[in-house]
Amino acid sequence: MSDKKRRESVGLILDCCSVCAVDQSLLRDALQSDEPDFEDGLIRQAAEEFGADFIATRDEKGFTGSTVPKAEPRELVQHLACD
């Protein structure tokens, strides 16, 4: 994918999604997560703390204990296209 296409894609995501700030408290909470790796723990903590509607992931094993439902990226794109 070209740089121009990547930038357009990020712009589209920003048009329909909110971005949350990552601070020291969120990072410390993620360290205590039972997710398989730190990055997944950070994503889960951020999603739960900020009330995300979904976690977009193709990771079948991750986020199973999250209070935020996970969904395949293609599924979310279809969902967003309908809104």
Side-chain angles (χ1 to χ4, degrees):
M1 185 183 292
S2 70
D3 183 62
K4 181 180 177 186
K5 276 290 202 192
R6 283 192 298 269
R7 289 173 184 264
E8 287 173 2
S9 296
V10 171
L12 291 171
I13 291 168
L14 292 173
D15 288 344
C16 64
C17 298
S18 298
V19 178
C20 67
V22 175
D23 61 12
Q24 186 170 351
S25 175
L26 188 65
L27 291 166
R28 289 198 181 277
D29 289 344
L31 288 173
Q32 305 303 315
S33 174
D34 60 356
E35 289 297 330
D37 59 49
F38 176 73
E39 292 83 1
D40 286 355
L42 184 58
I43 291 167
R44 177 179 169 183
Q45 279 303 126
E48 290 178 355
E49 281 193 32
F50 293 96
D53 295 322
F54 298 97
I55 295 174
T57 184
R58 290 185 298 266
D59 185 349
E60 294 179 16
K61 295 179 183 177
F63 311 107
T64 56
S66 179
T67 59
V68 177
K70 65 180 182 176
E72 288 276 336
R74 287 185 191 270
E75 201 179 346
L76 287 178
V77 169
Q78 290 172 348
H79 174 75
L80 293 172
C82 294
D83 287 350

